[in-house]
Amino acid sequence: MSFDAREFRNALGCFATGITVVTSRSATGEPLGVTVNSFSSVSLDPPLVLFSLAHVGGHCQEFLASGKFAVNILSREQRHLSDRFAMTRDNRFEGINHSLGENGSPVFENSLAVFECETYAVHEAGDHAVFICRVTNVAMAEKEEALLFHKGQYHTL
Protein backbone atom coordinates (compact mmCIF):
# COMPACT_ATOMS: atom_id res chain seq x y z
CA MET A 1 0.00 0.00 0.00
CA SER A 2 1.23 3.46 -0.84
CA PHE A 3 -0.88 5.18 1.87
CA ASP A 4 -1.22 5.01 5.63
CA ALA A 5 -4.31 4.61 7.82
CA ARG A 6 -4.67 8.38 8.45
CA GLU A 7 -4.50 9.17 4.72
CA PHE A 8 -7.11 6.46 4.04
CA ARG A 9 -9.41 7.85 6.76
CA ASN A 10 -9.02 11.42 5.45
CA ALA A 11 -9.86 10.31 1.91
CA LEU A 12 -12.97 8.49 3.18
CA GLY A 13 -14.02 11.74 4.88
CA CYS A 14 -14.35 13.36 1.45
CA PHE A 15 -17.55 11.38 0.97
CA ALA A 16 -20.39 13.27 2.67
CA THR A 17 -22.69 10.95 4.61
CA GLY A 18 -25.89 11.19 6.55
CA ILE A 19 -25.77 10.29 10.20
CA THR A 20 -27.81 7.61 11.92
CA VAL A 21 -28.08 6.21 15.40
CA VAL A 22 -28.75 2.50 15.19
CA THR A 23 -30.55 1.18 18.25
CA SER A 24 -31.44 -2.21 19.67
CA ARG A 25 -31.94 -3.89 23.03
CA SER A 26 -29.66 -6.21 24.94
CA ALA A 27 -30.66 -9.67 26.11
CA THR A 28 -31.60 -8.08 29.46
CA GLY A 29 -33.77 -5.43 27.76
CA GLU A 30 -31.36 -2.53 28.18
CA PRO A 31 -31.44 -0.03 25.27
CA LEU A 32 -28.37 0.00 23.01
CA GLY A 33 -27.37 2.68 20.52
CA VAL A 34 -24.40 3.72 18.43
CA THR A 35 -23.77 6.50 15.92
CA VAL A 36 -23.31 5.03 12.44
CA ASN A 37 -22.64 6.72 9.10
CA SER A 38 -22.05 3.45 7.24
CA PHE A 39 -25.72 3.09 6.30
CA SER A 40 -27.05 2.33 2.82
CA SER A 41 -30.02 0.96 0.96
CA VAL A 42 -29.45 -2.47 -0.58
CA SER A 43 -32.68 -3.72 -2.18
CA LEU A 44 -36.27 -2.64 -2.74
CA ASP A 45 -37.61 -6.20 -3.07
CA PRO A 46 -37.14 -7.48 -0.47
CA PRO A 47 -36.63 -4.19 1.40
CA LEU A 48 -33.04 -4.37 2.66
CA VAL A 49 -30.63 -1.85 4.22
CA LEU A 50 -27.15 -2.23 5.65
CA PHE A 51 -24.93 -0.76 8.33
CA SER A 52 -21.60 -1.84 9.78
CA LEU A 53 -20.24 -1.94 13.31
CA ALA A 54 -16.68 -2.28 14.53
CA HIS A 55 -16.00 -5.48 16.43
CA VAL A 56 -14.40 -3.49 19.26
CA GLY A 57 -16.75 -1.16 21.12
CA GLY A 58 -20.12 -0.12 19.77
CA HIS A 59 -21.94 -3.17 21.20
CA CYS A 60 -21.31 -5.31 18.10
CA GLN A 61 -21.79 -8.63 19.92
CA GLU A 62 -25.01 -7.44 21.57
CA PHE A 63 -26.38 -6.27 18.20
CA LEU A 64 -25.50 -9.66 16.69
CA ALA A 65 -27.39 -11.41 19.51
CA SER A 66 -30.43 -9.11 19.33
CA GLY A 67 -31.19 -9.33 15.62
CA LYS A 68 -33.67 -6.41 15.78
CA PHE A 69 -32.78 -2.78 15.14
CA ALA A 70 -34.04 0.71 14.44
CA VAL A 71 -32.01 2.95 12.15
CA ASN A 72 -32.80 6.55 13.15
CA ILE A 73 -31.76 9.02 10.41
CA LEU A 74 -30.85 12.19 12.25
CA SER A 75 -32.16 15.67 11.54
CA ARG A 76 -30.26 18.93 12.03
CA GLU A 77 -31.76 19.28 15.52
CA GLN A 78 -30.38 15.89 16.61
CA ARG A 79 -26.65 16.61 16.51
CA HIS A 80 -26.54 16.03 20.28
CA LEU A 81 -27.65 12.42 19.64
CA SER A 82 -24.85 11.89 17.14
CA ASP A 83 -22.31 13.17 19.66
CA ARG A 84 -23.82 11.24 22.58
CA PHE A 85 -24.00 7.86 20.86
CA ALA A 86 -20.52 8.21 19.34
CA MET A 87 -19.03 8.46 22.86
CA THR A 88 -17.95 5.55 24.97
CA ARG A 89 -20.04 5.61 28.13
CA ASP A 90 -22.01 3.19 30.26
CA ASN A 91 -25.54 4.55 29.86
CA ARG A 92 -25.88 6.40 26.57
CA PHE A 93 -29.67 6.64 26.98
CA GLU A 94 -29.61 8.42 30.35
CA GLY A 95 -31.76 11.56 29.98
CA ILE A 96 -32.52 10.84 26.29
CA ASN A 97 -36.21 10.78 25.32
CA HIS A 98 -37.20 7.85 23.16
CA SER A 99 -40.05 5.46 22.58
CA LEU A 100 -40.01 1.82 21.55
CA GLY A 101 -40.81 0.90 17.98
CA GLU A 102 -42.90 -2.06 16.84
CA ASN A 103 -39.91 -4.39 17.19
CA GLY A 104 -38.95 -3.06 20.64
CA SER A 105 -35.94 -1.02 19.53
CA PRO A 106 -35.57 2.59 20.74
CA VAL A 107 -36.86 5.25 18.32
CA PHE A 108 -36.07 8.97 18.55
CA GLU A 109 -38.75 11.57 17.97
CA ASN A 110 -37.88 14.11 15.23
CA SER A 111 -35.73 11.70 13.24
CA LEU A 112 -36.02 12.28 9.49
CA ALA A 113 -36.86 8.61 9.03
CA VAL A 114 -36.74 5.41 11.04
CA PHE A 115 -36.23 1.96 9.56
CA GLU A 116 -37.14 -0.87 11.91
CA CYS A 117 -35.49 -4.05 10.76
CA GLU A 118 -34.20 -7.50 11.57
CA THR A 119 -31.06 -9.37 10.63
CA TYR A 120 -31.12 -10.80 7.11
CA ALA A 121 -27.39 -11.61 6.87
CA VAL A 122 -24.13 -10.62 8.58
CA HIS A 123 -20.80 -10.58 6.78
CA GLU A 124 -17.37 -10.26 8.34
CA ALA A 125 -15.36 -7.49 6.70
CA GLY A 126 -11.99 -6.72 8.26
CA ASP A 127 -12.46 -5.15 11.67
CA HIS A 128 -16.23 -4.69 11.12
CA ALA A 129 -19.40 -6.76 10.85
CA VAL A 130 -21.69 -5.73 7.99
CA PHE A 131 -25.34 -6.15 8.97
CA ILE A 132 -27.76 -6.58 6.07
CA CYS A 133 -31.24 -6.07 7.48
CA ARG A 134 -34.78 -6.71 6.26
CA VAL A 135 -36.94 -3.64 6.87
CA THR A 136 -40.17 -4.44 8.76
CA ASN A 137 -41.48 -0.90 9.40
CA VAL A 138 -40.76 2.62 8.12
CA ALA A 139 -41.69 6.02 9.56
CA MET A 140 -40.91 9.43 8.05
CA ALA A 141 -41.10 12.96 9.44
CA GLU A 142 -42.10 16.08 7.58
CA LYS A 143 -38.68 17.65 8.22
CA GLU A 144 -36.09 17.97 5.50
CA GLU A 145 -33.01 19.29 7.33
CA ALA A 146 -30.56 16.38 7.23
CA LEU A 147 -27.52 16.19 9.49
CA LEU A 148 -24.45 15.40 7.40
CA PHE A 149 -20.81 14.60 8.10
CA HIS A 150 -18.02 15.65 5.71
CA LYS A 151 -14.26 15.93 6.32
CA GLY A 152 -14.69 15.61 10.08
CA GLN A 153 -17.31 18.36 10.36
CA TYR A 154 -21.09 18.49 10.74
CA HIS A 155 -23.12 20.12 7.99
CA THR A 156 -26.82 20.46 7.26
CA LEU A 157 -28.78 20.23 4.07
Side-chain angles (χ1 to χ4, degrees), residues 47-65:
L48 300 175
V49 296
L50 71 76
F51 63 88
S52 65
L53 293 177
H55 286 294
V56 229
H59 304 294
C60 187
Q61 292 307 311
E62 293 168 298
F63 275 73
L64 286 166

Side-chain angles (χ1 to χ4, degrees), residues 16-69:
T17 63
I19 302 173
T20 70
V21 172
V22 180
T23 59
S24 189
R25 292 179 59 147
S26 71
T28 61
E30 292 299 313
L32 305 169
V34 63
T35 300
V36 171
N37 69 348
S38 59
F39 168 76
S40 181
S41 62
V42 175
S43 169
L44 294 176
D45 186 20
L48 300 175
V49 296
L50 71 76
F51 63 88
S52 65
L53 293 177
H55 286 294
V56 229
H59 304 294
C60 187
Q61 292 307 311
E62 293 168 298
F63 275 73
L64 286 166
S66 167
K68 294 185 179 181
F69 320 100

Side-chain angles (χ1 to χ4, degrees), residues 64-83:
L64 286 166
S66 167
K68 294 185 179 181
F69 320 100
V71 180
N72 297 269
I73 299 178
L74 302 187
S75 67
R76 175 176 66 185
E77 293 84 19
Q78 294 175 305
R79 178 177 170 171
H80 68 285
L81 293 176
S82 175
D83 291 337

